[in-house]
Amino acid sequence: MFPLLRRGPGRLTRRPARPSGDGTAVLPDVRETPEWNAGPAPGALHLPLSRLMAGAPLPAAVRGRPVITTCRSGHRSQQAARLPARRGVRATDVTGGMTARARADLPVTGRGGSGGVTA
């Protein structure tokens, strides 16, 4: 309603949602283990929302770096991006999540490096 007054993390479309090769951005996938096992984005870090909600410390790979959270559809990742933002981490999330990523024919990695699916 009042976008200029909006606070909190931003949102990205699926295109920029990938870890940075220079080590600046981290892509936490906040889906739970069965979903993660179906297929994450290449280079993603598994960080389930349930752990974040329980107050788990951020992994060393996240500390001091911006994060771009993702999930299956974009709802949990939006919620998850708020948690590191409250801890002073620059955070954003991916609209549409892994489902939008798959529709855009962006890579999803399965076990052993094969093509994965979104679950």
Side-chain angles (χ1 to χ4, degrees):
M1 185 168 158
F2 298 102
L4 294 176
L5 300 177
R6 185 176 176 276
R7 299 215 187 270
R11 303 201 80 195
L12 297 173
T13 63
R14 65 199 171 275
R15 286 275 174 215
R18 59 184 173 269
S20 173
D22 65 3
T24 56
V26 178
L27 182 61
D29 186 324
V30 299
R31 296 176 298 163
E32 297 302 319
T33 300
E35 296 171 292
W36 165 265
N37 288 341
L45 170 72
H46 188 211
L47 186 57
L49 178 60
S50 59
R51 285 185 37 213
L52 284 171
M53 298 285 289
L58 295 173
V62 172
R63 293 187 196 120
R65 297 167 63 188
V67 298
I68 304 169
T69 60
T70 192
C71 67
R72 182 168 191 241
S73 65
H75 177 72
R76 287 175 288 178
S77 63
Q78 186 176 22
Q79 184 179 10
R82 292 183 189 120
L83 297 169
R86 289 182 191 146
R87 299 180 192 183
V89 175
R90 201 169 44 151
T92 191
D93 79 291
V94 180
T95 61
M98 293 298 291
T99 302
R101 179 181 187 86
R103 270 190 247 129
D105 291 326
L106 294 171
V108 176
T109 306
R111 288 186 178 192
S114 63
V117 297
T118 58

